[in-house]
């Protein structure tokens, strides 16, 4: 059995609650896991003066994978920075994966199995911003590089192939953003030549936003730039259960961080209403990444069964608490043995 070192990043708000539940679920699987812990978020800023200490980045690099809850963004503190964006940039977690798969629940549309692959380090979120003309002109630079485009597009095609998908949509706005989206689009068509078994289709981002609402089942993989991916992936997760179940992965060459899509949900803290399933599905993605496919599948099957039987928190019409859902998942995983 391979030993894996997992760094837990609890963060703020409901982060510590859902991460504690995920730790319990992971401990119930037949795996050799070593857990470590590192600090991130506004609480850590109040304690140490930084929302993302260097020691946290070191621990994530040292671990085989990290599981992250959520953080709270404080109102207007000068010099405060987003620890999530900083973490993705510092660790070069260039690929953001957001799977959107139908769940057995009335709120979910059927027949959807879409993976959104978002470039996670450049584009409009490169962090190059300035004010000119006494603050009357604001500029944000959108940086797209060949290297950054190539590696994310390759990831999308590789993942399509590994998961038996047959098509990739590159989503852009090259008719207006001729230079930046133009480069991203060109690189996509170049890389596609290496994957004759997969069809590349292109779509303008506004059309894609519309098509996702009209017929989301037409998409298998979408690959796109940072801001577009941020928006489209939030849009798409609403067809398949919403924030209580949406999970994501941030993957780089030598680090990987898995997280629920939701934030710190301050109003839910201590109420038992936080759905831990988004974090469980993030943990399942982490197990896939660690090549523990059987355990990942067992966890996902348990989640599906609980949702189908309304063993869930109120956001999915159930009447169980966060801890009760966790217990049910553990029982269902054991029954599968
Ligand atoms: P949020 O995701 O925390 O909450 C949005 C809505 O979804 C709320 O109604 C909340 O109660 C509900 N919700 C969220 N997670 C849920 C769960 N697990 N189960 C059931 N319902 C759930 O987003 P919001 O309210 O915009 O932001 C709250 C704080 O979180 C802010 O400080 C924001 O900056 C931060 N945030 C952090 C993120 C991260 O750490 N990656 C991502 C998004 C927001
Ligand atoms: Mg977002």
């Amino acid at each position: 059995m391979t030993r894996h070192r997992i760094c837990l990043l609890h963060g703020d708000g409901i982060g510590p609650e859902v991460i504690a539940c995920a730790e319990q679920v992971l401990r119930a699987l037949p795996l050799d896991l070593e857990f470590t812990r590192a600090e991130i978020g506004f609480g850590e800023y109040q304690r140490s003066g930084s929302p993302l200490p260097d020691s946290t980045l070191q621990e994530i690099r040292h671990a085989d994978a990290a599981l992250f809850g959520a953080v709270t963004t404080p109102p207007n503190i000068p010099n405060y920075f987003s620890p999530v964006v900083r973490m993705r940039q510092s660790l070069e977690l260039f690929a953001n994966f957001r799977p959107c798969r139908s769940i057995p629940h009335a709120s979910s549309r059927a027949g959807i199995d879409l993976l959104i692959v978002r470039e996670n380090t450049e584009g409009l979120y490169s962090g190059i911003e300035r004010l000119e003309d006494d603050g009357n002109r604001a500029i944000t630079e959108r940086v797209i590089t060949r290297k950054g485009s190539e590696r994310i597009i390759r990831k999308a095609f590789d993942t399509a192939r590994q998961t038996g998908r047959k098509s990739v949509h590159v989503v852009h706005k090259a008719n207006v953003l001729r230079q930046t989206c133009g480069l991203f689009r060109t690189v996509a068509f170049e890389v596609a030549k290496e994957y004759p078994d997969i069809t590349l289709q292109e779509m303008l981002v506004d059309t894609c936003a519309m098509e996702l609402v009209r017929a989301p089942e037409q998409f298998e993989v979408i690959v796109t730039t940072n801001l577009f991916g941020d928006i489209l992936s939030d849009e798409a997760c609403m067809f398949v259960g919403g924030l209580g179940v949406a999970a994501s992965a941030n993957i780089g060459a030598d680090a990987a961080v898995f997280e629920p899509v939701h934030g710190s949900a301050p109003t839910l803290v201590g109420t038992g209403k936080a759905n831990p399933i988004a974090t469980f599905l993030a943990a399942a993605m982490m197990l896939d990444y660690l090549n523990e496919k059987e355990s990942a599948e067992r966890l996902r099957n348990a989640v599906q069964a609980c949702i189908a039987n309304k063993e869930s928190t109120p956001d999915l019409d159930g009447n169980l608490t966060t801890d009760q859902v966790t217990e049910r998942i553990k029982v269902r995983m054991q029954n599968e043995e």
Side-chain angles (χ1 to χ4, degrees):
M1 213 187 266
T2 315
R3 165 163 276 221
H4 305 290
R5 186 177 169 110
I6 309 294
C7 175
L8 299 176
L9 300 159
H10 293 76
D12 306 311
I14 60 169
E17 297 175 22
V18 293
I19 291 293
C21 294
E23 181 180 351
Q24 282 186 47
V25 162
L26 286 167
R27 282 186 190 279
L29 285 161
L31 297 167
D32 185 7
L33 303 178
E34 176 193 352
F35 291 96
T36 64
R37 169 185 181 127
E39 304 304 323
I40 186 168
F42 184 49
E44 177 58 17
Y45 171 83
Q46 290 171 309
R47 282 186 294 271
S48 76
S50 170
L52 183 67
D54 283 342
S55 55
T56 293
L57 290 173
Q58 271 166 28
E59 182 46 49
I60 300 171
R61 275 196 203 97
H62 187 53
D64 297 306
L67 188 63
F68 163 51
V71 294
T72 297
T73 311
N76 283 327
I77 297 183
N79 300 326
Y80 194 83
F81 58 86
S82 159
V84 180
V85 173
R86 182 72 62 91
M87 174 172 70
R88 289 170 180 165
Q89 279 168 352
S90 304
L91 298 170
E92 270 208 78
L93 304 174
F94 67 88
N96 187 293
F97 289 88
R98 196 73 95 72
C100 303
R101 194 171 297 145
S102 300
I103 60 166
H105 186 267
S107 69
S108 172
R109 287 167 72 166
I112 301 172
D113 186 6
L114 156 67
L115 178 67
I116 298 187
V117 181
R118 158 187 170 197
E119 203 294 321
N120 217 16
T121 52
E122 47 184 44
L124 260 181
Y125 296 176
S126 301
I128 307 171
E129 297 195 288
R130 62 183 177 275
L131 288 176
E132 295 179 351
D133 188 19
D134 289 332
N136 292 307
R137 189 174 145 85
I139 297 171
T140 298
E141 284 186 22
R142 184 171 199 258
V143 181
I144 300 284
T145 65
R146 171 171 285 276
K147 178 183 164 223
S149 305
E150 236 179 76
R151 65 185 180 182
I152 193 69
I153 290 161
R154 243 193 211 105
K155 258 280 191 257
F157 274 95
D158 285 339
T159 311
R161 198 176 254 174
Q162 282 156 17
T163 57
R165 291 172 164 101
K166 294 284 167 230
S167 72
V168 171
H169 279 80
V170 59
V171 172
H172 61 75
K173 188 75 182 174
N175 56 337
V176 178
L177 302 170
R178 302 181 76 91
Q179 300 306 331
T180 48
C181 273
L183 178 59
F184 194 77
R185 174 184 181 277
T186 299
V187 172
F189 280 93
E190 284 170 16
V191 170
K193 291 193 189 126
E194 297 166 31
Y195 300 84
D197 48 324
I198 293 162
T199 315
L200 176 66
Q201 289 171 275
E202 62 177 319
M203 196 177 272
L204 294 175
V205 64
D206 42 351
T207 308
C208 182
M210 196 173 70
E211 284 296 312
L212 271 175
V213 175
R214 193 185 66 81
E217 64 288 344
Q218 71 185 287
F219 298 101
E220 291 185 291
V221 176
I222 287 175
V223 63
T224 189
T225 49
N226 208 337
L227 170 72
F228 295 166
D230 190 4
I231 298 170
L232 293 176
S233 59
D234 273 19
E235 182 190 356
C237 86
M238 293 315 293
F239 307 134
V240 288
L243 284 178
V245 297
S248 72
N250 305 277
I251 295 178
D254 42 34
V257 179
F258 300 81
E259 56 173 319
V261 169
H262 65 71
S264 63
T267 59
L268 298 185
V269 174
T271 63
K273 288 185 179 153
N275 192 341
I277 282 178
T279 311
F280 297 164
L281 292 175
M285 291 176 82
M286 179 177 79
L287 295 175
D288 279 334
Y289 171 82
L290 296 170
N291 216 14
E292 297 290 356
K293 308 274 179 200
E294 265 183 49
S295 288
E297 235 4 67
R298 190 187 289 190
L299 174 48
R300 270 193 284 264
N301 289 342
V303 163
Q304 294 276 325
C306 278
I307 293 173
N309 286 290
K310 293 221 165 41
E311 294 171 7
S312 53
T313 43
D315 57 302
L316 290 181
D317 308 329
N319 55 15
L320 300 187
T321 64
T322 313
D323 290 337
Q324 287 168 334
V325 171
T326 306
E327 283 307 315
R328 296 293 170 94
I329 296 277
K330 279 161 50 184
V331 168
R332 287 193 179 274
M333 288 195 314
Q334 259 140 31
N335 289 348
E336 249 195 71
E337 268 174 53

